[in-house]
């Protein structure tokens, strides 16, 4: 099977997200000063970046977004699900022809795989970006979570724009 050139951009975005995500998590784990994460309590403060709005706070999230479905078998189920989603996105990228869609696919794929790596290594996802001081966003998250969120927003935007473009083409065809 020949992979279209534009599809490689999605894989490049995914790889970039995985690398950035894992590098930032490695930096956070280095700052903790131990390889035994069970010794570090969730909510451990690492740094006040922009007090009180933004700080770095260590959290090992053994669930899915915002701690849902945490614990035990959830680790494996979430990992299998995420790898499956990433596989479907990789396939979808071979059929996509719009740059926005390719970008969205790459971001979601990279974010999903970045978090799978953590689940397999640590039993949970390392989160550290903490904007709870804003009073608006109480969750702690990471680069992979951010990529997934932005990717989903771009998927919705792409669907809206492509639907709108399709209607405009249909109207133009009716007039001619």
């Amino acid at each position: 099977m020949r992979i279209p050139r534009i599809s490689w951009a999605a894989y490049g975005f995914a790889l970039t997200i995985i690398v950035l995500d894992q590098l930032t998590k490695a930096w956070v784990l280095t700052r903790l000063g131990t390889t035994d994460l069970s010794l570090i309590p969730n909510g451990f403060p690492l740094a006040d970046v922009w007090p009180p709005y933004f700080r770095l706070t260590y959290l090992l999230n053994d669930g899915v977004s915002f701690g849902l479905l945490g614990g035990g078998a959830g680790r494996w189920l979430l990992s299998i699900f995420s790898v499956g989603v990433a596989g479907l996105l990789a396939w979808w990228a071979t059929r996509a022809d719009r740059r926005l869609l390719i970008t969205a696919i790459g971001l979601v794929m990279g974010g999903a795989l970045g978090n799978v790596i953590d689940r397999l290594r640590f039993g949970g996802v390392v989160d550290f970006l903490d904007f709870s001081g804003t009073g608006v966003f109480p969750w702690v998250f990471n680069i992979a979570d951010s990529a997934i969120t932005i990717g989903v927003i771009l998927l919705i935007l792409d669907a809206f724009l492509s639907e709108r473009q399709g209607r405009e083409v249909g109207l133009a065809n009716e007039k001619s």
Side-chain angles (χ1 to χ4, degrees), residues 8 15 18 33 45 54 57 77 79 89 107 133 136 152 155 158:
W8 288 104
L15 182 60
I18 292 167
F54 175 49
T57 304
L77 292 173
S79 295
L89 290 169
L107 291 175
V136 176
V152 168
L155 283 171
D158 177 76

Side-chain angles (χ1 to χ4, degrees):
M1 173 175 124
R2 186 182 168 293
I3 297 174
R5 187 171 164 177
I6 194 169
S7 302
W8 288 104
Y11 308 144
F13 285 125
L15 182 60
T16 299
I17 293 301
I18 292 167
V19 169
L20 284 173
D21 180 62
Q22 291 301 303
L23 285 175
T24 56
K25 290 172 180 173
W27 178 80
V28 165
L29 295 175
T30 300
R31 294 220 16 152
L32 292 172
T34 181
T35 56
D36 186 356
L37 296 182
S38 66
L39 298 175
I40 309 298
N42 272 344
F44 184 81
L46 292 165
D48 283 328
V49 178
W50 186 25
Y53 307 108
F54 175 49
R55 63 181 63 99
L56 300 178
T57 304
Y58 166 79
L59 182 80
L60 186 66
N61 180 354
D62 65 354
V64 72
S65 297
F66 315 123
L68 302 173
L69 302 175
R75 166 190 187 184
W76 300 108
L77 292 173
L78 291 170
S79 295
I80 291 167
F81 176 77
S82 296
V83 168
V85 167
L88 287 172
L89 290 169
W91 171 81
W92 189 10
T94 65
R95 279 133 182 85
D97 60 354
R98 296 181 306 278
R99 289 180 182 173
L100 186 60
L101 179 58
I102 284 293
T103 303
I105 288 170
L107 291 175
V108 175
M109 189 169 33
L113 293 174
N115 282 340
V116 164
I117 292 168
D118 283 16
R119 281 194 182 89
L120 297 178
R121 287 180 65 199
F122 309 119
V125 174
V126 174
D127 290 331
F128 58 93
L129 300 172
D130 181 356
F131 287 90
S132 62
T134 63
V136 176
F137 195 80
W139 302 283
V140 179
F141 56 99
N142 60 43
I143 301 295
D145 297 335
S146 300
I148 292 168
T149 301
I150 293 167
V152 168
I153 290 167
L154 293 178
L155 283 171
I156 294 167
L157 180 61
D158 177 76
F160 174 75
L161 292 175
S162 63
E163 179 183 311
R164 185 175 173 193
Q165 184 180 24
R167 276 185 294 183
E168 289 172 0
V169 169
L171 289 174
N173 288 339
E174 286 178 11
K175 290 181 182 179
S176 51

